């Protein structure tokens, strides 16, 4: 039997193609017509897998959540180390796919990988001895911090034109035009600084939890 000239259409193939479009051109690039053209199929054939563009974007978002490592919650690492390593993996996934972050920021909804992620983090905190209410708050604040760090670059937001920072108006921004060239280093350092401060604060709270127990 002769092989088909084009790969058979599948959910995974649609999601991979849509994710590539989002990465390259943003959320507005995704439409059923554009996806059908990229996949070399007729538009209606997509509806056998997804009913709407929003469903496709939800699936793309979940494919990014699935890239986050969760092994640190299962291999015996203490809660602080696990949270640190999880946050780094989570941010790396979002950094690789920044255009999908607005969809992820809506919350997990019914997305399976996102729900597994939330379940793993919450469960690990409760098992470590955090009260359920505080474990919920930890999951929320970690998501706020990680999502926020992925929404844009602090260093990249400064233009590389020294004339934009007139010392008469901005006496402390004389080196701001150099920030963009150091974007990755500055953003990485800022993330680690914030994450360490956050975890230090949680460690103090955890000692109070243990004393009350």
């Amino acid at each position: 039997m002769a092989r088909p000239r084009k790969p058979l259409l599948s959910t995974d193939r649609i999601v991979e193609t849509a994710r590539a479009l989002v990465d390259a051109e943003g959320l507005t690039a995704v439409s059923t017509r554009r996806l059908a053209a990229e996949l070399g199929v007729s538009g209606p054939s997509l509806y056998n897998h997804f009913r709407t563009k929003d469903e496709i974007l939800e699936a793309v978002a979940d494919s990014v959540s699935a890239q986050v490592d969760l092994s640190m919650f299962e291999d015996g690492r203490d809660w602080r180390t696990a949270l640190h390593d999880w946050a780094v993996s989570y941010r790396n996934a979002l950094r690789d796919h920044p255009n999908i972050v607005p969809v992820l920021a809506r919350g997990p909804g019914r997305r399976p990988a996102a729900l597994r992620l939330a379940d793993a983090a919450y469960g690990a905190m409760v098992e470590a001895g955090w009260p359920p209410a505080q474990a919920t708050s930890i999951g929320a604040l970690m998501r706020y911090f990680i999502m926020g760090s992925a929404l844009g670059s602090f260093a990249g937001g400064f233009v590389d034109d020294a004339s934009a920072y007139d010392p008469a108006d901005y006496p402390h921004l004389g080196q701001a035009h150099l920030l963009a060239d150091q974007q990755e280093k500055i953003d990485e350092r800022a993330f680690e600084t914030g994450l360490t401060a956050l975890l230090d604060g949680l460690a103090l709270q955890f000692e109070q939890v243990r004393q009350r127990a």
Side-chain angles (χ1 to χ4, degrees):
M1 180 181 295
R3 293 182 178 178
R5 293 182 179 180
K6 297 174 182 175
L8 295 175
L9 191 61
S10 67
T11 298
D12 288 344
R13 188 168 166 237
I14 295 170
V15 171
E16 289 170 6
T17 303
R19 186 172 60 229
L21 275 177
V22 171
D23 288 345
E25 302 179 33
L27 296 173
T28 58
V30 177
S31 68
T32 53
R33 178 178 295 181
R34 177 72 183 279
L35 274 176
E38 294 286 334
L39 291 161
V41 299
S42 63
S45 63
L46 295 177
Y47 297 117
N48 293 324
H49 302 271
F50 296 101
R51 293 174 296 176
T52 65
K53 170 184 173 177
D54 285 344
E55 284 191 1
I56 295 171
L57 291 177
E58 287 287 309
V60 170
D62 212 39
S63 74
V64 173
S65 294
Q67 296 175 15
V68 180
D69 183 16
L70 300 177
S71 65
M72 65 285 297
F73 295 129
E74 303 169 352
D75 60 11
R77 274 174 262 190
D78 65 271
W79 70 265
R80 176 178 174 142
T81 302
L83 272 185
H84 175 277
D85 296 347
W86 173 66
V88 171
S89 177
Y90 201 162
R91 179 171 179 264
N92 286 343
L94 301 189
R95 185 182 58 191
D96 290 342
H97 307 282
N99 291 335
I100 199 64
V101 172
V103 179
L104 287 163
R106 299 171 190 164
R110 296 177 181 272
R111 300 193 298 269
L115 289 170
R116 284 193 293 271
L117 187 154
D119 180 75
Y122 173 80
M125 294 306 101
V126 172
E127 289 177 9
W130 285 97
Q134 286 179 277
T136 299
S137 296
I138 289 171
L141 74 88
M142 293 297 290
R143 194 170 74 86
Y144 298 152
F145 176 69
I146 297 164
M147 291 283 181
S149 73
L151 283 173
S153 166
F154 170 81
F158 290 85
V159 300
D160 60 2
D161 179 4
S163 67
Y165 310 102
D166 188 328
D169 296 321
Y170 315 110
H172 305 296
L173 297 182
Q175 301 296 308
H177 64 287
L178 303 175
L179 291 175
D181 287 339
Q182 302 294 319
Q183 176 177 331
E184 183 174 353
K185 181 187 297 184
I186 292 169
D187 290 346
E188 287 294 327
R189 188 168 62 223
F191 180 77
E192 279 294 337
T193 299
L195 182 57
T196 298
L198 188 156
L199 293 173
D200 283 348
L202 287 177
L204 291 175
Q205 290 188 33
F206 191 61
E207 285 302 312
Q208 296 173 0
V209 168
R210 294 176 63 182
Q211 289 173 9
R212 287 197 296 268

